[in-house]
């Protein structure tokens, strides 16, 4: 580094780097990287004995100049006399009780309050919700049935959205559910309709489940809570170990539902929890069930992530030349100082909860990793997706491991080992057993200061602010130049053109930018398997985990995608996350337009172009639409009875006519566009009525899943008792009254009836297929009967939504899960088009 505020190679800071630095990390009179580094060094050195404080402060500044980048919370808050934590992420335990505690775990609302305090102080939170009893299980205290973990996740999601993190940092959460939990299918689909926006979600997968997948065997979904009477009547039973078996599923079909959701929505992620525990240094005194929000730290209850990274580009000498090399001696020196700094962070931080402080001080976990691997390999002339690139990454990780463990042993000699250290047990750990014998001997003799030392985290904003946009963590560069969208204070967005650090250095050296060397390879220019192989090469040297996203192109074959996860498990990885771009997920990063590369051009939005519908909308598969004509409205008077008496209201649904192309043929349909219900002023205005109608209207105007939104509303329960509203015809023609769990549910039912009569929904409230909508619209508008008639479909249909017939409820068998007559044979298996239940196959 040239100077305290300089960048490698004498590069001037990029505009986005300065903006991110000053917005997130520099405060008061601080204007440069150097100002932040000095503040952090001074704050941590203040915890050393006064006689050596100045010496350590100078070492801490120098280590940051040479390539150590503390995590974002440390750079943002150290030395600022704030009550914000310096720790990035935590795991919050959640029990099954409403309040108090359950089997040593805090009850749901106790955990909610603790998590809110952690989020408020600036920490992200991970949770394992598996202790919460399943939907439909007994709640003996109130003689009722449980609503299940997904419903409580919505409460945690709302809390996170409401509580502003310290420094205006958006709260981050990770929700985990074990694959053997009876609500696992609900969990997998929990985000499909746009819910849980403040959560990443991952399934905790066991080795037993993966073996069942390989063997195409049955797999039991179990819980310690007793099932409800209906579930018992359906066959739920208790095992000898005391757990209740709710039902047995075909493991491959459950795995398929995880894979399909991940392929379409990039979630849920997969955590191989048995591998996490097998490799845990503290296997003898803790159990891992969840991770922090980005997945690089499997943590026990109240565990924390104390993170920092080495910027690998700062250790490359003579880049882009035959003499390019990585200075391992300097890397070892900086890593040694970084371990000391991170250990001090545990004493310098404000802890949101006393339990977190105790947990951290008992084990003194830290997570030193690296950033800029992709950029550094380019500077060394090595392709990220080559054997040579993986070998270099593995050597870096091994050198980092040995240096960090040696430094922690030295700290133990000086300050003492972590309190829960047990030499015999610790040295029996599977990861520790792979350490060089000299380190193992030193651990037995002197102990070790920190139970865990290594973690490779995502480093997005600190890479921008402190490393000139060196590549993120272990990742390869996303693109050499790209546009980055950034939220502004007024709620808008601003786009910056950002360049990769290695690309800038190469350009500054006067090289030909039209003919980049082979080492310049980006994330989407390599095979997905090569992303996986990089994690496989590095993971043996990392004692916790690695945050790595396997990028796959939009047209990546599904069978190959599914194979990635099986390969990850067989390779002994601790988890896997993938990203396949699509219209639902969008992107924070967009490749900048380049006149010489048509494939990289980002066209401007054209209001005259058809509007893309969400991937989970049955209209989307082959139908693009544009508005046509005026709105047509339908108003219906409804009457319903509650314990407060009889009520009446008017519901209005406005429809928008649209036209498009289906299977290459022009069609016209209509969709709901606006929902309206006047609030009853005599009962206080019913703000929930206005809010519900506005939200439904927003979903409709965005082309979202109306059927799913109304189904969710019908699940809303209140404490005032049942609501009688509407009638349904039995098969014998007798009209029977319908009872609902709340006024919201009753109104959703009546809205469904309006849409069913209009032909937009079928009798079960499911989305009608496009051909049926086109025929209904043609009949109403007096157009020919053949308008919109689709081409004949093949017998075998790959997508269940394409397989939905254009008729009513009598076309399907009754679903054992939800009761809808929507159970049909698809791809050799019985599937419910209403709740996505999968039954027998073959």
């Amino acid at each position: 580094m040239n100077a305290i505020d300089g960048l490698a190679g004498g590069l001037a800071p990029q505009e986005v780097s300065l903006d991110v630095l000053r917005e997130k990390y520099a405060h008061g009179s601080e204007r440069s990287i150097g100002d932040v580094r000095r503040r952090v060094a001074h704050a941590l050195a203040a915890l050393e004995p006064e006689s050596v404080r100045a010496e350590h402060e100078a070492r801490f500044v120098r280590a940051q100049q040479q390539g150590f980048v503390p995590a974002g919370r440390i750079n943002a808050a150290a030395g600022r006399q704030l009550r914000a934590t310096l720790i990035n992420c935590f795991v919050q335990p959640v029990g099954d009780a409403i309040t108090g505690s359950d089997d040593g775990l805090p009850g749901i609302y106790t955990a909610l309050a603790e998590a809110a305090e952690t989020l408020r102080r600036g920490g992200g939170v991970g949770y394992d919700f598996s202790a919460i009893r399943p939907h439909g299980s007994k709640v003996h205290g109130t003689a009722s049935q449980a609503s299940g973990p997904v419903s409580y996740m919505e409460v945690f999601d709302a809390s996170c959205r409401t509580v502003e993190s310290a420094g205006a940092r958006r709260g981050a959460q990770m929700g985990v559910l074990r694959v053997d939990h009876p609500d696992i299918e609900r969990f997998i689909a929990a985000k499909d309709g746009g819910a849980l926006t403040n959560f990443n979600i991952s399934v905790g997968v066991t080795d037993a489940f993966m073996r069942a997948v390989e063997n195409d065997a049955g797999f039991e979904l179990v819980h310690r809570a007793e099932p409800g009477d209906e579930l018992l009547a359906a066959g739920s039973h208790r095992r000898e170990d005391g757990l209740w078996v709710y039902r047995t599923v075909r493991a491959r079909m459950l795995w398929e539902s995880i894979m399909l959701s991940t392929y379409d929505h990039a979630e849920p992620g997969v955590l191989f929890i048995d591998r996490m525990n097998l490799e845990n240094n503290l296997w003898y005194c803790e159990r891992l069930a969840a991770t922090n929000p980005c997945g690089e730290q499997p943590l026990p209850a109240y565990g924390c992530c104390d993170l920092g990274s080495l910027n690998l580009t700062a250790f490359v000498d003579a880049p882009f030349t035959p003499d390019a090399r990585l200075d391992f001696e300097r890397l070892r020196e900086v890593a040694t100082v970084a371990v000391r700094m991170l250990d001090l962070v545990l004493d310098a931080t404000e802890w949101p909860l006393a339990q977190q402080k105790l947990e951290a001080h008992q084990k003194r976990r830290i997570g030193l990793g690296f950033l800029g691997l992709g950029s550094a390999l380019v500077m060394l002339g090595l392709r990220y997706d080559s054997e040579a690139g993986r070998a270099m990454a593995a050597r870096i990780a091994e050198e980092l491991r040995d240096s960090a463990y040696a430094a922690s042993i030295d700290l133990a000699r000086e300050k003492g080992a972590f309190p829960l250290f047990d030499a015999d047990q610790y040295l029996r750990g599977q990861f520790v057993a792979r350490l060089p014998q000299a380190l193992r001997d030193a651990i037995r003799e002197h102990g070790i200061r920190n139970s865990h030392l290594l973690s490779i985290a995502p480093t997005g904003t600190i890479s921008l602010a402190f490393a000139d946009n060196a590549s993120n963590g272990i990742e390869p560069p996303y693109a050499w130049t790209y546009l980055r969208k950034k939220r502004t204070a007024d709620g808008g967005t601003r786009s910056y053109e950002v360049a990769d650090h290695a690309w800038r250095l190469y350009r500054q050296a006067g090289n030909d930018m039209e003919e980049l060397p082979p080492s310049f390879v980006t994330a989407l220019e390599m095979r997905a398997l090569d992303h996986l192989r990089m994690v496989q090469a590095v993971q043996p040297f990392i004692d916790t985990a690695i945050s790595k996203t396997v990028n796959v192109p939009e047209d990546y074959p599904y069978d190959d995608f599914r194979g990635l996860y099986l390969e990850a498990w067989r390779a002994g990885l601790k988890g896997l996350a993938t990203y396949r771009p699509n219209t639902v997920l969008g992107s924070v990063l967009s490749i900048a337009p380049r006149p010489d590369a048509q494939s990289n051009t980002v066209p401007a939005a054209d209001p005259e172009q058809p509007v893309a519908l969400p991937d989970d909308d049955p209209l989307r598969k082959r139908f693009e639409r544009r508005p046509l004509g005026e709105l047509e409205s339908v108003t219906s008077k409804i009457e319903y009875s509650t314990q407060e008496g009889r009520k009446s209201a008017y519901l209005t649904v406005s429809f928008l006519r649209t036209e498009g192309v289906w299977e290459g043929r022009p069609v016209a349909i209509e969709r709901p566009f606006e929902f309206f219900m006047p609030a009853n002023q005599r009962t206080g205005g019913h703000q929930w009525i206005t809010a519900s109608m506005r939200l439904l209207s927003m979903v409709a105007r965005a082309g979202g899943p109306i059927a799913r939104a109304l189904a969710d509303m019908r699940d809303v329960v209140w404490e005032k008792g049942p609501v009688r509203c509407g009638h349904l015809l039995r098969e014998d023609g007798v009209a029977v009254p319908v009872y609902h769990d709340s006024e919201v549910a009753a109104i959703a039912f009546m809205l469904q009836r309006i849409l069913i009569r209009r032909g937009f929904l079928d009798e079960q409230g499911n989305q009608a297929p496009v051909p049926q909508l086109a025929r209904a619209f043609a009949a109403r508008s007096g157009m020919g009967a053949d308008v919109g008639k689709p081409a004949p479909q093949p017998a075998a249909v790959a997508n269940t939504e394409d397989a939905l017939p254009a008729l009513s409820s009598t076309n399907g068998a009754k679903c054992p899960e939800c009761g809808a007559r929507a159970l049909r044979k698809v791809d050799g298996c019985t599937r419910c088009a209403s709740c996505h239940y999968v039954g027998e196959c073959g």
Side-chain angles (χ1 to χ4, degrees):
M1 305 292 285
N2 291 5
I4 197 164
D5 297 337
L7 297 172
L11 294 171
Q14 301 183 64
E15 182 183 10
V16 67
S17 298
L18 290 174
D19 277 4
V20 170
L21 175 76
R22 291 166 183 170
E23 177 185 321
K24 291 181 174 288
Y25 306 115
H27 303 281
S29 60
E30 296 173 349
R31 305 300 297 164
S32 68
I33 293 174
D35 293 335
V36 177
R37 287 171 175 164
R38 285 188 289 271
R39 168 170 50 79
V40 170
H42 181 77
L44 298 182
L47 297 167
E48 297 283 13
E50 187 173 358
S51 61
V52 293
R53 193 170 296 164
E55 175 188 346
H56 282 301
E57 183 172 343
R59 290 179 69 207
F60 295 168
V61 170
R62 186 164 58 250
Q64 293 176 86
Q65 289 176 306
Q66 292 178 327
F68 175 52
V69 184
R73 296 305 309 158
I74 300 171
N75 279 312
R80 292 189 59 211
Q81 307 305 314
L82 297 176
R83 297 197 65 194
T85 178
L86 307 186
I87 307 300
N88 275 56
C89 299
F90 301 81
V91 159
Q92 169 67 48
V94 185
D96 189 40
I98 292 295
T99 57
S101 64
D102 167 64
D103 197 23
L105 301 175
I108 295 168
Y109 284 94
T110 302
L112 179 69
E114 292 178 351
E117 179 63 14
T118 303
L119 290 165
R120 186 180 73 85
R121 298 286 194 92
V125 184
Y127 316 84
D128 174 25
F129 290 104
S130 302
I132 299 178
R133 65 189 61 198
H135 178 83
S137 60
K138 289 183 178 179
V139 183
H140 292 284
T142 57
S144 59
Q145 291 188 346
S147 58
V150 173
S151 65
Y152 286 108
M153 288 178 67
E154 294 171 354
V155 179
F156 282 78
D157 185 68
S159 175
C160 181
R161 184 168 56 250
T162 303
V163 177
E164 181 181 280
S165 291
R169 180 175 179 262
R170 182 176 179 267
Q173 300 185 116
M174 167 70 84
V176 178
L177 199 71
R178 285 177 59 96
V179 73
D180 56 6
H181 192 285
D183 281 8
I184 188 63
E185 292 101 336
R186 295 173 182 268
F187 178 80
I188 292 165
K191 296 186 71 173
D192 289 358
L196 304 181
T197 55
N198 295 288
F199 267 106
N200 296 327
I201 62 172
S202 289
V203 176
V205 172
T206 62
D207 287 345
F209 173 75
M210 294 306 298
R211 286 191 292 269
V213 172
E214 285 192 313
N215 298 326
D216 196 14
F219 185 72
E220 293 179 339
L221 303 184
V222 301
H223 203 272
R224 65 188 179 96
E226 182 180 357
D229 292 338
E230 292 183 4
L231 292 168
L232 291 170
S236 296
H237 60 280
R238 198 167 197 172
R239 293 194 317 205
E240 291 184 0
D241 62 2
L243 294 178
W244 289 91
V245 178
Y246 277 61
R247 63 186 187 279
T248 299
V249 298
R250 185 180 170 195
R252 281 191 182 174
M253 294 311 301
L254 179 54
W255 181 245
E256 189 78 359
S257 67
I258 297 171
M259 292 295 97
L260 285 169
S261 179
T262 303
Y263 186 72
D264 287 339
H265 307 294
E267 286 190 278
V270 171
L271 301 176
F272 298 115
I273 53 177
D274 287 341
R275 172 64 57 173
M276 284 163 35
N277 283 284
L278 189 66
E279 289 272 308
N280 184 12
N281 288 356
L282 292 181
W283 60 274
Y284 57 91
C285 64
E286 68 181 24
R287 186 74 183 168
L288 305 174
T291 73
N292 69 314
C294 293
E296 77 276 5
Q297 273 281 351
L299 293 167
Y302 297 113
C304 74
C305 302
D306 175 11
L307 302 173
S309 303
L310 301 188
N311 174 12
L312 296 179
T313 66
F315 299 95
V316 177
D317 295 333
F320 309 114
T321 72
D323 298 325
R325 59 181 290 272
L326 197 139
D327 190 336
F328 283 102
E329 182 179 355
R330 187 152 45 92
L331 183 146
R332 288 189 289 268
E333 292 173 355
V334 175
T336 299
V337 179
V339 167
R340 189 181 197 97
M341 292 177 69
L342 291 178
D343 184 68
L344 289 168
V345 166
L346 296 172
D347 300 314
T349 189
E350 284 274 350
W351 293 97
L353 305 174
Q355 300 97 313
Q356 295 162 349
K357 180 178 181 179
L358 177 63
E359 167 70 20
H361 287 176
Q362 288 284 305
K363 302 169 183 176
R364 303 198 71 84
R365 241 182 191 95
I366 65 172
L368 178 62
F370 53 69
L371 64 85
L373 174 66
S375 299
L377 291 177
V378 171
M379 295 162 67
L380 291 167
L382 301 173
R383 285 182 64 96
Y384 188 96
D385 56 351
S386 68
E387 285 291 344
R390 289 190 285 271
M392 173 58 72
R395 185 185 172 192
I396 291 169
E398 184 176 18
E399 293 279 1
L400 181 62
R401 179 199 66 180
D402 294 351
S403 301
Y405 271 76
S408 189
I409 294 167
D410 286 343
L411 279 176
R413 296 173 67 178
E414 178 185 340
K415 299 182 177 184
F418 68 91
L420 291 182
F421 174 71
D422 180 315
D424 289 336
Q425 300 277 56
Y426 191 81
L427 289 167
R428 286 174 55 198
Q430 187 161 298
F431 181 87
V432 178
R434 295 197 298 269
L435 292 175
Q437 190 60 45
L439 288 176
R440 289 173 50 80
D441 292 343
I443 289 172
R444 182 172 294 281
E445 181 178 358
H446 305 292
I448 192 165
R449 179 69 170 169
N450 312 97
S451 67
H452 299 73
L453 287 126
L454 304 158
S455 180
I456 302 181
T459 56
T461 56
I462 62 171
S463 287
L464 275 172
F466 297 96
D468 187 43
N469 194 41
S471 53
N472 178 0
I474 196 175
E475 305 287 357
Y478 172 82
W480 306 119
T481 61
Y482 58 83
L483 296 178
R484 181 178 180 89
K485 300 173 188 174
K486 178 174 168 293
R487 285 184 294 181
T488 57
D490 61 1
T493 60
R494 178 182 177 186
S495 293
Y496 295 84
E497 183 171 356
V498 187
D500 175 78
H501 175 71
W503 186 88
R504 294 186 76 209
L505 279 179
Y506 191 74
R507 181 180 63 179
Q508 179 178 268
N511 293 296
D512 182 3
M513 304 307 292
E514 299 299 322
E515 296 291 336
L516 296 175
S519 61
F520 279 81
V521 57
T522 62
L524 292 177
E525 292 174 340
M526 62 184 72
R527 299 182 308 161
L529 189 60
D530 289 320
H531 288 272
L532 187 70
R533 293 289 182 239
M534 180 59 81
V535 181
Q536 187 178 358
V538 172
Q539 182 65 77
F541 306 103
I542 303 299
D543 57 21
T544 55
I546 300 168
S547 178
K548 173 77 176 79
T549 300
V550 176
N551 294 90
V552 299
E554 186 172 2
D555 59 355
Y556 194 71
Y558 172 69
D559 287 343
D560 294 346
F561 177 89
R562 180 174 48 190
L564 288 173
Y565 283 79
L566 284 171
E567 181 65 24
W569 175 66
R570 290 166 181 156
L573 302 190
K574 297 179 181 180
L576 188 66
T578 53
Y579 178 81
R580 185 178 70 92
N582 59 61
T583 55
V584 171
L585 296 173
S587 178
V588 175
L589 304 178
S590 301
I591 299 174
R594 291 175 54 191
D596 61 336
Q598 292 298 320
S599 62
N600 285 347
T601 299
V602 180
D606 184 354
E608 295 301 317
Q609 290 300 309
V611 180
L613 303 178
D615 274 0
D616 60 357
D617 192 314
L619 301 186
R620 185 183 188 278
K621 298 303 177 186
R622 285 174 296 276
F623 181 65
E624 297 295 344
R625 64 189 176 90
R626 66 179 67 198
L628 178 73
E630 299 178 351
L631 297 181
E632 183 174 326
S633 299
V634 173
T635 299
S636 177
K637 182 181 180 179
I638 65 170
E639 294 184 347
Y640 55 98
S641 301
T642 71
Q643 292 182 355
E644 299 170 347
R646 293 181 59 84
K647 298 183 181 182
S648 63
Y650 289 89
L651 295 175
T652 299
V653 182
S654 298
F655 294 87
L656 177 70
R657 302 181 182 187
T658 60
E659 65 179 14
V661 176
W662 172 268
E663 295 286 8
R665 304 182 184 198
V667 297
I669 67 169
E670 68 175 13
R671 287 180 62 96
F673 187 77
E674 185 175 68
F675 294 79
F676 177 71
M677 175 180 173
N680 188 337
Q681 300 299 323
R682 289 177 297 177
T683 57
H686 279 188
Q687 295 95 332
W688 63 265
I689 293 177
T690 301
S692 298
M693 296 302 111
R694 287 181 178 178
L695 287 171
L696 283 173
S697 299
M698 288 175 62
V699 173
R701 291 171 187 172
I706 294 296
R708 183 170 297 161
L710 290 172
D712 287 346
M713 288 177 66
R714 288 192 61 180
D715 287 338
V716 174
V717 179
W718 69 0
E719 73 283 357
K720 298 180 182 180
V723 176
R724 177 175 171 172
C725 179
H727 293 80
L728 286 177
L729 289 177
R730 293 196 321 217
E731 293 182 359
D732 59 5
V734 176
V736 295
V738 181
Y739 290 89
H740 309 275
D741 291 326
S742 67
E743 199 169 341
V744 175
I747 290 171
F749 171 79
M750 297 308 296
L751 288 172
Q752 282 183 328
R753 305 315 296 173
I754 293 174
L755 297 183
I756 288 169
R757 289 193 296 269
R758 196 74 177 183
F760 185 74
L761 303 180
D762 67 17
E763 286 296 329
Q764 280 67 51
N766 301 317
Q767 172 68 66
V770 167
Q772 182 175 332
L773 293 178
R775 289 195 291 273
F777 178 74
R780 280 194 300 274
S781 59
M783 300 170 67
D786 291 336
V787 174
K789 185 176 181 180
Q793 296 293 304
V797 184
N799 188 288
T800 59
E801 290 169 344
D802 287 348
L804 291 176
L807 298 175
S808 64
S809 61
T810 57
N811 281 348
K814 186 175 180 179
C815 174
E817 183 75 8
C818 69
R821 292 191 177 276
L823 200 65
R824 304 180 180 93
K825 202 79 166 179
V826 180
D827 287 347
C829 300
T830 53
R831 298 172 184 256
C832 178
S834 177
C835 70
H836 307 296
Y837 163 83
V838 178
E840 73 275 4
C841 298

